């Protein structure tokens, strides 16, 4: 899949910046826990911060939803750990992987994917028992560093001439990326899902006749002008 490299870097840079400005949404996916209890404590804190972003004053609601989110993280971890351990065992032979080894790894990955898909649906049902659709969206954003909104905003800012149809398609793909990223096992793999869909979006816009390099250059110039204007206003 082709990708406008510099545009991708620019979008990722903006994503990182917004993540730093929204620290309540940023968490390490793999906590450096020494014990199972330490790990659970880190997960509970992570879930509590995500739920805190809903700004609910209902302590019972907050406690219940935090438990659901924390439970999801723990369940995701078990699935990923189980698959990774089995794959590591196959690769630990030291010799070059055989066709059977590769087939075995593929089966393990497919099995894990099925478990993740089932867990994903169950998780959303649990959230819907307590949360509104808007609150569920906020939780999804919290679990994926708000990349959907940051990226969607960046595309609109970079290409002011986007049609409503194009905006809708971009949002559809970023939403799909978020669903995938929610179940990823690390920050890097969460961002990789968005990177994949950004490549699809860039190809889509290029096919529509949009000169991505030209739009990017103009966008960078506007950003410089905004910074300069901000400095002068101080």
């Amino acid at each position: 899949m082709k990708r406008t490299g510099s545009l991708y870097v620019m979008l990722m840079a903006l994503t990182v910046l917004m993540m730093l400005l929204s620290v309540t949404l940023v968490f390490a996916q793999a906590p450096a826990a020494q014990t199972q209890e330490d790990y659970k404590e880190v997960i509970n804190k992570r879930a509590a911060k995500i739920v805190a972003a809903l700004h609910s004053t209902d302590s019972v609601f907050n406690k219940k939803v935090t438990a659901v989110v924390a439970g999801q993280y723990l369940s995701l971890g078990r699935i990923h750990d189980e698959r990774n351990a089995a794959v590591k065992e196959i690769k630990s032979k030291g010799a070059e992987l055989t066709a059977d080894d590769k087939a075995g790894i593929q089966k393990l990955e497919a099995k894990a994917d099925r478990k993740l898909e089932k867990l994903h649906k169950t998780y959303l049902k649990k959230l819907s028992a307590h949360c509104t659709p808007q609150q569920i969206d906020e939780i999804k954003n919290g679990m994926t560093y708000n990349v959907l909104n940051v990226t969607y905003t960046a595309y609109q800012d970079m290409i002011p001439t986007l049609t409503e149809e194009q905006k809708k398609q971009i949002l559809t793909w970023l939403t799909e990326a978020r669903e995938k990223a929610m179940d990823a096992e690390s920050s890097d793999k969460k961002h990789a899902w968005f990177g994949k869909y950004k490549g699809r979006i860039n190809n889509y816009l290029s096919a529509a006749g949009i000169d991505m390099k030209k739009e990017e250059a103009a966008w960078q110039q506007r950003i410089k002008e905004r910074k300069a204007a901000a400095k002068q206003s101080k």
Side-chain angles (χ1 to χ4, degrees), residues 2-5 7 155 158-159 162 166 170 173 198-215:
K2 296 182 179 179
R3 173 186 297 163
T4 303
L7 169 59
Y155 271 113
M158 181 178 60
I159 312 173
L162 286 173
Q166 288 168 339
I170 291 171
W173 276 331
K198 287 174 187 175
R200 182 181 297 181
I201 291 168
N202 292 344
N203 289 339
Y204 164 72
L205 295 176
S206 295
I210 295 176
D211 188 330
M212 301 300 285
K213 290 184 178 179
K214 180 179 179 181
E215 294 291 349

Side-chain angles (χ1 to χ4, degrees), residues 107-157:
K107 287 182 179 179
L108 289 170
E109 292 176 342
K111 181 179 179 181
D113 287 343
R114 289 193 296 272
K115 288 183 178 180
L116 290 172
E117 183 178 357
K118 182 178 180 180
L119 179 65
H120 188 94
K121 293 178 180 178
T122 300
Y123 176 54
L124 295 183
K125 287 182 180 179
K126 289 181 179 178
L127 287 179
S128 65
H130 306 289
C131 304
T132 66
Q134 182 179 358
Q135 288 172 327
I136 293 176
D137 263 353
E138 289 300 320
I139 290 172
K140 290 179 178 181
N141 289 331
M143 294 181 73
T144 55
Y145 316 126
N146 203 33
V147 175
L148 183 155
N149 290 317
V150 171
T151 307
Y152 185 54
T153 299
Y155 271 113
Q156 292 180 88
D157 189 42

Side-chain angles (χ1 to χ4, degrees), residues 28-95:
Q29 177 67 16
Q34 297 299 318
T35 67
Q36 186 64 23
E37 288 305 313
D38 290 338
Y39 176 68
K40 287 182 178 180
E41 182 179 354
V42 171
I43 291 299
N44 286 332
K45 288 181 179 179
R46 180 188 306 171
K49 288 183 179 180
I50 291 175
V51 175
L54 301 179
H55 303 295
S56 171
T57 58
D58 186 335
S59 60
V60 175
F61 166 85
N62 290 336
K63 185 177 181 179
K64 288 182 178 179
V65 178
T66 296
V68 172
V69 176
Q72 177 69 0
Y73 274 118
L74 292 172
S75 296
L76 287 170
R78 283 191 289 270
I79 293 173
H80 289 302
D81 289 346
E82 180 181 306
R83 178 205 59 217
N84 292 342
V87 171
K88 183 178 180 181
E89 184 176 353
I90 292 176
K91 292 182 176 181
S92 66
K93 297 177 180 179

Side-chain angles (χ1 to χ4, degrees), residues 9-38:
V9 172
M10 191 61 153
L11 287 173
M12 287 304 296
L14 182 58
T15 297
V16 172
L17 175 61
M18 292 301 292
M19 285 165 58
L20 292 174
L21 292 175
S22 304
V23 294
T24 58
L25 293 176
V26 181
F27 316 100
Q29 177 67 16
Q34 297 299 318
T35 67
Q36 186 64 23
E37 288 305 313
D38 290 338

